[in-house]
Amino acid sequence: GDDDVPKDEL
Amino acid sequence: MNIFRLTGDLSHLAAIIILLLKIWKTRSCAGISGKSQILFALVFTTRYLDLFSSFISLYNTVMKVIYIMCAYATVYLIYGKFKATYDGNHDTFRVEFLLIPVVLLAVLINHAFAPMEILWTFSIYLESVAILPQLFMISKTGEAETITTHYLFFLGLYRTLYLFNWIWRFYFEGFFDLIAVVAGLVQTILYCDFFYLYITKVLKGKKLSLPA
């Protein structure tokens, strides 16, 4: 899968 | 951070606080779906496990802690302190019909087949349908207390604002997360019928009653 998108959202 | 995400988070916080205060002040959870609140607690629990592993910002950490504490406090008030006022006869949505597809989807469609990523994906998919037991309960009772409609309005508004946040981030930051956007669209679409009733009835001082 794609690389982990940054999880900066609540 | 952008204005849409900030107002979205504040709208979400407002919804959570409105519900908690409604139950606490009226000492009653009449008309509130405990099942939806359990699902929301599950959404926050599976999404915010990174509270202990990664620090993004003080705002991010503080809001996550507040959301989780309020979610569990609400569930406690419904099933614990004020369970005598819980309307179980109308809170009958079969949540297994939500959980099973959401688990399957999270395992099949995700950004990476890793535990934290699958839990995050599960929480995103679950959040998009977590309000269904509440909407179903209102359709069964045929009405909703005005304060409950305000709760639902801010809850629906938050993800609607997030859609604009994602447009903003795509345009200015090149950030795009298809899973979050598709789930967010589904979540917002589920509120459309309610938004219509809220704007045409509640904002005109009428009570929200179904069928419309």
Side-chain angles (χ1 to χ4, degrees):
Chain A
D2 331 336
D3 57 319
D4 288 7
V5 283
K7 303 276 185 286
D8 64 344
E9 294 184 347
L10 287 179
Chain B
M1 177 57 80
N2 60 68
I3 186 65
F4 297 114
R5 185 143 69 99
L6 182 60
T7 48
D9 289 340
L10 295 178
S11 183
H12 193 186
L13 182 63
I16 290 170
I17 301 293
I18 285 171
L19 180 64
L20 202 52
L21 284 182
K22 172 254 186 284
I23 298 174
W24 181 255
K25 293 268 184 189
T26 65
R27 305 183 69 73
S28 162
C29 58
I32 301 299
S33 164
K35 294 186 174 187
S36 276
Q37 297 312 314
I38 289 175
L39 293 179
F40 284 124
L42 188 57
V43 164
F44 295 142
T45 306
T46 52
R47 190 177 305 177
Y48 299 156
L49 291 173
D50 64 354
L51 256 178
F52 309 109
S53 61
S54 63
F55 178 79
I56 291 163
S57 70
L58 187 62
Y59 170 82
N60 190 276
T61 301
V62 167
M63 290 293 270
K64 284 176 177 178
V65 169
I66 293 173
Y67 283 5
I68 285 179
M69 283 170 56
C70 289
Y72 280 99
T74 303
V75 170
Y76 163 69
L77 291 184
I78 293 171
Y79 290 101
K81 197 166 177 62
F82 302 126
K83 72 171 175 290
T85 65
Y86 171 57
D87 182 6
N89 298 323
H90 289 109
D91 190 14
T92 54
F93 193 94
R94 304 283 301 276
V95 291
E96 57 271 30
F97 292 164
L98 297 178
L99 288 168
I100 294 167
V102 162
V103 168
L104 290 177
L105 258 179
V107 170
L108 293 172
I109 305 174
N110 51 59
H111 289 309
F113 198 78
M116 287 296 278
E117 195 62 33
I118 289 180
L119 281 171
W120 176 84
T121 309
F122 166 80
S123 109
I124 290 288
Y125 293 152
L126 182 60
E127 186 189 359
S128 62
V129 294
I131 199 61
L132 283 176
Q134 179 65 68
L135 297 178
F136 179 76
M137 182 173 187
I138 291 176
S139 70
K140 280 199 77 171
T141 55
E143 60 164 13
E145 286 180 40
T146 300
I147 187 70
T148 306
T149 64
H150 296 321
Y151 157 71
L152 286 169
F153 173 72
F154 284 110
L155 199 58
L157 180 64
Y158 127 74
R159 215 60 178 170
T160 306
L161 289 166
Y162 256 71
L163 294 177
F164 292 102
N165 154 61
W166 288 318
I167 294 169
W168 174 287
R169 297 193 74 179
F170 178 68
Y171 187 74
F172 290 106
E173 300 170 29
F175 170 89
F176 183 70
D177 182 339
L178 185 63
I179 286 176
V181 170
V182 172
L185 268 172
V186 168
Q187 184 170 338
T188 302
I189 288 167
L190 290 177
Y191 281 86
C192 287
D193 178 36
F194 167 76
F195 280 146
Y196 172 75
L197 291 171
Y198 184 80
I199 291 164
T200 58
K201 288 200 170 186
V202 178
L203 292 189
K204 291 194 168 64
K206 295 180 194 137
K207 189 153 175 54
L208 187 131
S209 56
L210 298 170

